[in-house]
Amino acid sequence: MADTVLLVASGIALAALVLAGLRMVLGPTAVDRTVALDGMTIMALSLIAAYAYFTGRGIYVDVAMVYGLASFAGVVAIARYLEGGLK
Amino acid sequence: MNETIGAFLALGGSIFLLLASVGMLRMPDYYNRMQTGTKATTLGSILFLVGLGVMRPEWLGKMLLLVGFVVLTNPVSSHALARAAHNARAKLDKVGKTVLAVDALADAEDAATDAPARAAGNGEAEHA
Amino acid sequence: MKDLKGRAIRFVLLYGAWLVLTDPGKRDEWIAGGIVALLASVLPLFPKTALGDLKLSPKALFGMIAYFAVFMKALVMSNLDVAFRVLHPKLPINPGIVAIRTRLATPLGRLLLANSITLTPGTITVETKGDTFFIHWINVSERDVEAATKAIVGEFEKRLEVFCG
């Protein structure tokens, strides 16, 4: 029961990831793409945590954490670039 | 029992994540996409991760740490992006227009750079 | 003094995070985490922290809990608001950037205020210049600085003042 519900939840999160990816492809500006990327990393982080549950391996929770750190730094770096690079 | 509660929390979270994506697709410009993107992904991931933590109590500590991290960093990256977007608006507006009824920040910047040329009235200037 | 307090709070936070991430049953982890957290918080190599602005008193602690409760409520409300606007067939929005002025003087207070604004219904912080915050509001109803301040941050400012004025 619980596993099925979580599987459905993961499916919805995956659909969200795909839709956000669509926004990333559509653009039109670099900021739109970065906003979509920011959202996608959070969704991917949640999915990695769900993967940790399905496989039963706690190490994936740490993977999710490091992924979150790296993606935050990445988005801030892109924002910095946009600020200086497009002015 | 715990597992079922956690799974339904995760389901609620995933619905907010989906809502964030739909918002990003439907909203007309990047500020509004940021609005839905940041808010809905934050609550969505909180519910999803806490749900997983409830399903596996031994991971709850790590999940809460991850939640705290998301809550602190998600708004910050959104501020960085919004600021960058506003600074680069002259270039960005050529590609995709923003809809702003009032822009107090642009008015304040104009007032600081060319005080004499500042238009009378209190800032109806729309940057197109 | 304030710097020392900030570093002490940073040490406690880092040590706590270390113990959550590793297996707290092992004595080695306690020792290694303590050394690493101590080095990371006291070495002058690492930047100064704004955490020293935090007040540590029973009253401030209750203030933090009250703030947390208000914050969670606002987060849920803002998501319901997003859900309403996104799913409404006509997209009821009237976006604009308005200015507000805050009473909070400390960097930590302003950081938390900016984050709270971003996660509350219909607003994100775009830029801060001193005590003036520029807010993107999805449905502008007040253009005046005082009125907008009251409508957006009135509640949060009051709560934040208690523990990091």
Side-chain angles (χ1 to χ4, degrees), chain C residues 30-101:
Chain C
W30 284 79
I31 297 167
I35 294 169
V36 173
L38 192 67
L39 285 181
S41 30
V42 297
L43 281 189
L45 174 75
F46 296 103
K48 277 171 77 170
T49 166
L51 288 170
D53 299 329
L54 214 59
K55 287 180 197 151
L56 297 174
S57 68
K59 195 177 156 226
L61 195 70
F62 283 118
M64 255 179 256
I65 295 167
Y67 166 75
F68 185 73
V70 171
F71 175 77
M72 286 317 285
K73 186 178 146 246
L75 184 58
V76 173
M77 288 308 291
S78 82
N79 275 273
L80 296 179
D81 179 71
V82 163
F84 167 72
R85 286 186 205 283
V86 166
L87 297 177
H88 196 283
K90 282 200 208 109
L91 277 184
I93 57 171
N94 173 33
I97 296 177
V98 296
I100 64 156
R101 207 162 281 135

Side-chain angles (χ1 to χ4, degrees), chain B residues 16 19 22-23 26 28 31-32 35 39-40 42-43 61-62 72 75 79 83 86 99-105 109 124, chain C residues 20-21 78-79 83 86 88-89 91 93-97 114-115 118 120 122-123 125-127 129 134 136 138 143:
Chain B
F16 279 111
L19 215 57
V22 173
R26 281 200 73 197
Y31 290 121
N32 295 311
Q35 293 258 13
K39 291 187 227 300
T42 308
L43 186 64
K62 277 184 190 179
L72 281 178
H79 299 161
R83 205 179 110 108
H86 198 272
V99 193
L100 290 176
V102 53
D103 191 344
L105 179 54
E109 279 169 1
E124 293 295 305
Chain C
V20 169
L21 284 173
S78 82
N79 275 273
V86 166
H88 196 283
L91 277 184
I93 57 171
N94 173 33
I97 296 177
N115 277 10
T118 299
T120 48
T123 49
T125 314
V126 175
E127 170 78 291
K129 285 193 166 88
F134 294 92
H136 180 267
I138 205 164
R143 296 189 178 195

